[in-house]
Each structure stands twice: as structure tokens, then as C-alpha cells.
């Protein structure tokens, strides 16, 4: 067994050439492909991280904007609440003013109605009093009262001026003597004679019965009325009371 | 039956005898280079099954280099990977009828061992300079210089002898059994020879890597890190 040194050297050169060739055509290209893929993957990872960072930043921005919106909303709510309070206060004040004016108007109306009612009540009370007085006085329509009224009528006629009595006698109309009750003939004649005597003439006298007179004697002609009865007195009292109220 | 230790000279180029092992080596080189060129023509970011298989092979080699030595695989990938591929294909070329594997010849294995020896020197000097490489012989102390020199020679010699002995013996045994028992009987032995060829290629590549890394690590100047003061 011998060692061929030329063969050894040639084989060494062959293997060296193989090492060089395979490094060129196999190991480096494949390792380069692996490296490129790793770099691409790393680039994608970096890109993903960048996108993640951008997304995080956008999320933070959105969160900040949301917080800003929330604070702005709170501020708007506070402002709206203040405005609503102001409006409510103004409305309340306005309503209070209106209510006060309404109350004042109502009080005025109540006072007016009260006064009106009081006046109405007073008027009705007066009327009722007059009516009661008329009924009571109706019970006292005695011959003595009637004689007193006749005397007062004669006195009133006598108190007229002469020209008035002449005009009354010269009147074309009949002179009506109004009585509350229908007097008897003697009484009727007495009344007619007393009136004619007071007038100092002979006018046409006609007696008319009017129960609303209560008591008394009144003289009515076409243009002349001489009141002399309790009805006239009560009407005078009623007018005076109403005027006093 | 010819002795497997004898080289069959096919022709002569000057003083160089071109043996069958050399021609087979050229054929293996051609197959590997053309095959590698054909396989790596179109490499893309989206790998095909073929590209994925190639990348798996390279990644596995890188992993083996890293796990074995702890070093970055890039400077050693081409040399170690080519050694492994060549030895593997050369060992398995015995399956071709009438063909003896180049690794069954002394010259091929010796050439591989010489290349490993030279690569140890080359990577050692490149890592730590000539001084750093020479200092590796004085580790751990100068007394060990003769032993380290002897170790550098003997370990390479042992690689050469181991590869040669295993491959040659396989071919020898198969040849004997085939001549004695017939055509089909050596098949189990040939299958065993496949395994032996794979294991021997792996061992040769790993040992080469270990030797290279040993020279690189021993020759690299070590820096003394300053002690950090504990902040109180």
C-alpha cells in the first residue's frame, strides 16, 4: 500500500474547488434566501409594529378626543343647566309677576265684587227694609192717619202759589186724588170739599184708588203731581239711602 | 478480486495518475455543482417544496454548527457543509454497481484530512492572528506544546484513518460476501453501508467543526471584564 502524493494533492484541490463552487451556487444562495425571508418577515414585523404604534397613537388620540368631547359635553351641560336655571328663574319671576298681577287683579275684582255685592246687599236690604216698612205702615192706615194726610195735602195745596193754584184749576184735565183705600162716600165728599177749598175753586176732582200708596193722599193732574203718601216717603228714603251708599 | 487498497489508474497526465477515485470525485463534483445550480436557480420569498427542503437542509446544518460549537455558522457553513455532502455522496456512490467510493481510497481521505488540518490553521490565524494561533499550542501551559502539536497531527490522522477504515472495510466486506454468496446476499450489508456512510460523513464534519472551533476559541484574545461596583 503506497500513498500517491499527486493523487492526494489533486483530490485536495478537487475538494477545495468543490467547496468554492458549492459556496457560490448552493450555500450562499440558499442562506441568502433564508436571510431575505427573515428580513422580509422582520420588515413585516416592524411594519406591523409601526402600524400597531400608529393604531395605538390613533387610539390614544381617539381616547383623548373622547375625553375632550366628554369634558366639552360636561361644559355644555353645565352651561345649558346655567342657561336653563336662568330661564327658569326668569320664567319663575315672570310667572311670579304675572301671578302677583293676577292676584292683585283678582283682589281688585274681589274688592269690586265685594263692594258691588255689599252695595247690592245694602240696596236689597234697603229695599227689604222699605218693603217691610211699607207692610208695617200698611197696617197703620187708620182714619186718623188718613185725616193727617188730608191735612198735609190741604196744607201743601195752600202752600202753592196763587198762580199755580189758578193754573191747576184751569187745567182741562181732571184733578185726580189718589187714595190707598177706596173711601166711603162721606169720606170721599170730605176729601173733595177739602181739596176744592184749598184750591179755592171748583175743579173737576176724581178719586182714584191705588193700594200701592200704602197710606196717604196724592194729587195728580196732567202736568202736576203732589206727593203725599207713605209710598212717596219710602221712595224718598230709599233714594236717599241709595245715594248715601 | 482486486485488493480494495489498490488504486485503479485510468490514465496518466504527466506525473499525475488519474485513478478511478479521482474520476469519480470529478463526477460527484459535477453532479453536486450542477444539481445545486439547478436547484437554486429560482429562489423566492414564497418557497416551493424544493426550496423549503433546501432551506431546511441549510438551517439544519446551521443549527448543528451552532449547537456543536456555539459559533456563528456563516464562516464555516460552506466548508463544513461541502465536506459533509461530498463525503456522504462519495460514501453512497458505492451503491452504483462497479463503482468504488473515492473515500475508500487513501489519497481522498488523506486529502480531506489535510484540508481539515489546513482549515484549522486558516480559521485559527484568521480569528486570532498568527500569534494567537501559536498561543493555542501553549494552552494551558507551555509544557503542553509538544503534546498539542502531536495532538493536532494525530487527531487529523485519526479522522483520516477512521473514514478510510470504515468505508474501505465496508467495500471490502461487501466485495467478499458478493464473491462468496451471490448477488442478493450483500444487500443488508449495503444497507448497513448506507448508514455507515451517513454516520461517517456526520462524524467527519462534526469533528472538523470541533477542531476548527477549538483553534478559533483558543486563539481569540480574552478580555478581562472589569468588576462592576455594586451601587449602594
Amino acid at each position: 500500500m503506497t500513498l500517491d502524493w499527486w493523487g492526494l494533492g489533486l483530490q485536495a484541490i478537487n475538494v477545495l474547488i468543490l467547496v468554492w463552487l458549492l459556496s457560490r451556487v448552493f450555500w450562499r444562495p440558499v442562506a441568502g434566501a433564508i436571510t431575505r425571508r427573515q428580513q422580509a418577515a422582520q420588515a413585516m414585523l416592524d411594519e406591523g409594529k409601526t402600524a400597531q404604534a400608529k393604531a395605538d397613537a390613533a387610539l390614544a388620540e381617539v381616547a383623548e378626543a373622547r375625553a375632550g368631547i366628554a369634558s366639552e359635553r360636561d361644559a355644555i351641560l353645565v352651561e345649558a343647566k346655567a342657561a336653563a336655571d336662568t330661564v327658569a328663574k326668569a320664567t319663575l319671576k315672570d310667572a311670579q309677576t304675572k301671578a302677583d298681577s293676577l292676584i292683585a287683579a283678582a283682589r281688585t275684582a274681589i274688592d269690586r265684587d265685594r263692594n258691588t255685592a255689599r252695595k247690592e246687599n245694602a240696596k236689597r236690604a234697603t229695599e227689604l227694609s222699605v218693603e217691610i216698612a211699607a207692610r208695617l205702615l200698611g197696617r197703620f192706615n187708620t182714619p186718623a192717619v188718613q185725616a193727617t194726610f188730608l191735612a198735609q195735602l190741604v196744607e201743601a195745596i195752600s202752600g202753592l202759589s196763587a198762580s199755580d193754584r189758578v193754573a191747576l184749576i184751569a187745567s182741562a184735565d181732571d184733578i185726580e186724588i189718589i187714595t190707598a183705600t177706596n173711601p166711603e162716600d162721606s169720606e170721599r165728599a170730605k176729601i173733595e170739599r177739602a181739596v176744592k177749598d184749598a184750591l179755592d175753586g171748583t175743579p173737576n176732582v176724581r178719586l182714584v184708588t191705588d193700594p200701592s200708596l200704602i197710606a196717604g193722599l196724592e194729587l195728580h193732574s196732567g202736568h202736576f203731581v203732589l206727593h203725599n203718601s207713605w209710598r212717596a216717603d219710602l221712595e224718598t228714603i230709599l233714594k236717599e239711602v241709595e245715594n248715601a251708599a | 478480486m482486486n485488493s480494495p487498497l489498490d488504486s485503479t489508474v485510468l490514465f496518466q497526465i504527466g506525473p499525475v495518475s488519474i485513478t478511478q477515485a479521482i474520476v469519480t470525485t470529478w463526477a460527484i463534483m459535477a453532479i453536486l455543482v450542477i444539481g445545486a445550480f439547478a436547484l437554486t436557480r429560482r429562489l423566492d420569498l414564497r418557497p416551493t417544496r424544493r426550496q423549503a427542503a433546501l432551506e431546511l437542509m441549510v438551517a439544519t446544518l446551521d443549527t448543528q454548527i451552532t449547537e456543536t460549537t456555539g459559533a456563528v455558522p456563516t464562516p464555516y457553513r460552506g466548508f463544513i457543509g461541502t465536506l459533509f455532502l461530498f463525503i456522504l455522496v462519495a460514501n453512497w456512490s458505492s451503491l452504483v454497481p462497479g463503482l468504488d467510493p473515492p473515500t475508500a481510497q487513501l489519497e481522498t481521505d488523506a486529502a480531506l484530512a489535510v484540508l481539515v488540518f489546513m482549515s484549522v490553521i486558516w480559521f485559527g490565524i484568521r480569528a486570532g492572528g498568527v500569534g494567537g494561533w501559536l498561543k493555542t499550542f501553549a494552552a494551558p501551559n507551555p509544557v503542553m506544546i509538544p503534546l498539542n502539536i502531536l495532538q493536532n497531527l494525530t487527531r487529523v490522522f485519526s479522522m483520516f484513518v477512521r473514514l478510510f477504515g470504515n468505508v474501505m472495510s465496508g467495500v471490502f466486506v461487501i466485495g467478499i460476501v458478493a464473491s462468496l454468496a451471490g448477488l442478493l446476499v450483500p444487500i443488508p450489508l449495503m444497507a448497513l453501508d448506507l448508514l455507515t456512510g451517513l454516520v461517517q460523513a456526520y462524524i467527519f464534519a462534526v469533528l472538523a467543526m470541533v477542531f476548527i472551533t477549538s483553534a478559533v476559541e483558543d486563539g481569540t484574545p480574552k478580555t478581562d471584564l472589569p468588576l462592576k461596583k455594586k451601587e449602594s
Side-chain angles (χ1 to χ4, degrees):
Chain A
M1 185 177 73
T2 57
L3 188 64
D4 181 10
W5 292 100
W6 284 105
L8 189 152
L10 188 58
Q11 286 293 67
I13 291 171
N14 286 336
V15 175
L16 273 180
I17 292 172
L18 183 63
V19 168
W20 183 78
L21 286 175
L22 283 186
S23 294
R24 295 285 175 184
V25 300
F26 184 70
W27 302 112
R28 285 184 191 173
V30 177
I34 295 174
T35 305
R36 281 195 299 275
R37 183 174 303 105
Q38 288 175 345
Q39 288 174 347
Q42 188 62 41
M44 291 175 67
L45 283 175
D46 293 341
E47 189 177 352
K49 286 181 181 176
T50 305
Q52 179 73 34
K54 285 183 180 177
D56 290 342
L59 187 62
E61 190 175 350
V62 168
E64 186 178 357
R66 187 178 295 172
I69 289 171
S71 62
E72 187 177 358
R73 184 195 63 186
D74 293 341
I76 289 172
L77 283 177
V78 169
E79 188 178 355
K81 188 173 182 300
D85 289 343
T86 305
V87 171
K89 286 180 180 176
T91 305
L92 190 61
K93 188 176 180 182
D94 191 19
Q96 186 70 37
T97 306
K98 287 182 179 177
D100 290 342
S101 62
L102 286 175
I103 289 172
R107 283 177 180 169
T108 304
I110 289 170
D111 291 342
R112 186 177 64 246
D113 293 344
R114 185 187 297 159
N115 289 332
T116 304
R118 185 173 55 80
K119 288 179 180 177
E120 188 69 22
N121 288 334
K123 181 180 178 182
R124 293 188 65 182
T126 304
E127 289 174 354
L128 183 61
S129 301
V130 169
E131 187 177 352
I132 291 171
R135 288 191 180 183
L136 288 174
L137 289 174
R139 294 183 183 180
F140 296 102
N141 190 9
T142 58
V145 172
Q146 193 67 18
T148 302
F149 274 112
L150 179 59
Q152 288 178 349
L153 179 62
V154 169
E155 184 180 354
I157 292 170
S158 299
L160 293 175
S161 61
S163 57
D164 289 337
R165 286 196 299 268
V166 171
L168 191 59
I169 293 169
S171 175
D173 299 329
D174 293 341
I175 293 174
E176 291 181 348
I177 302 297
I178 310 300
T179 63
T181 57
N182 190 15
E184 294 178 356
D185 292 338
S186 58
E187 185 68 19
R188 184 182 296 266
K190 180 182 177 183
I191 292 171
E192 288 179 358
R193 189 176 57 247
V195 170
K196 288 178 178 177
D197 289 343
L199 288 174
D200 196 16
T202 56
N204 294 325
V205 177
R206 184 167 52 96
L207 268 69
V208 178
T209 302
D210 183 5
S212 64
L213 215 63
I214 305 173
L217 292 170
E218 288 189 352
L219 186 149
H220 290 191
S221 69
H223 306 288
F224 186 81
V225 174
L226 186 60
H227 295 289
N228 181 36
S229 64
W230 279 343
R231 185 185 68 183
D233 296 338
L234 288 176
E235 285 177 354
T236 303
I237 292 171
L238 183 62
K239 286 180 181 177
E240 289 180 356
V241 170
E242 286 177 355
N243 291 332
Chain B
M1 174 184 170
N2 295 328
S3 170
L5 299 178
D6 293 336
S7 297
T8 305
V9 178
L10 297 179
F11 56 92
Q12 196 84 21
I13 300 177
V16 182
S17 301
I18 306 301
T19 61
Q20 185 194 2
I22 293 174
V23 174
T24 307
T25 300
W26 286 344
I28 291 172
M29 287 171 63
I31 291 170
L32 286 177
V33 171
I34 293 172
F37 181 74
L39 290 174
T40 58
R41 269 193 312 172
R42 293 172 184 171
L43 298 177
D44 197 5
L45 281 178
R46 293 179 175 275
T48 59
R49 290 173 181 268
R50 168 179 57 83
Q51 183 179 343
L54 294 177
E55 291 184 2
L56 176 64
M57 195 165 70
V58 174
T60 305
L61 175 65
D62 287 353
T63 305
Q64 285 293 320
I65 292 173
T66 305
E67 288 181 352
T68 305
T69 66
V72 178
T74 308
Y76 315 110
R77 184 190 299 126
F79 182 68
I80 301 297
T82 304
L83 274 184
F84 174 77
L85 277 183
F86 173 72
I87 296 171
L88 179 68
V89 176
N91 289 344
W92 284 359
S93 66
S94 64
L95 296 178
V96 179
L99 202 64
D100 287 336
T103 46
Q105 297 297 321
L106 275 177
E107 289 80 8
T108 307
D109 296 337
L112 292 172
V114 167
L115 285 178
V116 171
F117 181 77
M118 300 299 289
S119 67
V120 169
I121 297 172
W122 164 254
F123 283 113
I125 292 175
R126 201 176 71 161
V130 178
W133 174 68
L134 290 176
K135 280 182 183 176
T136 60
F137 291 97
N141 53 60
V143 179
M144 299 296 290
I145 288 176
L147 289 177
N148 283 332
I149 293 174
L150 188 63
Q151 178 206 11
N152 271 276
L153 295 173
T154 54
R155 69 186 184 186
V156 175
F157 186 75
S158 73
M159 289 174 66
F160 146 58
V161 172
R162 180 186 301 112
L163 180 61
F164 171 70
N166 277 281
V167 179
M168 183 273 295
S169 63
V171 174
F172 196 60
V173 168
I174 289 173
I176 292 173
V177 171
S179 63
L180 293 177
L183 196 59
L184 297 178
V185 177
I187 289 177
L189 294 174
M190 294 171 73
L192 182 63
D193 208 26
L194 283 177
L195 180 63
T196 304
L198 175 64
V199 170
Q200 288 306 316
Y202 178 76
I203 288 174
F204 197 94
V206 168
L207 285 177
M209 190 67 241
V210 169
F211 296 159
I212 290 170
T213 310
S214 174
V216 169
E217 288 178 349
D218 291 342
T220 305
K222 294 177 175 58
T223 56
D224 294 331
L225 296 174
L227 292 175
K228 288 183 178 179
K229 290 182 179 179
K230 288 187 177 178
E231 295 180 355
S232 59

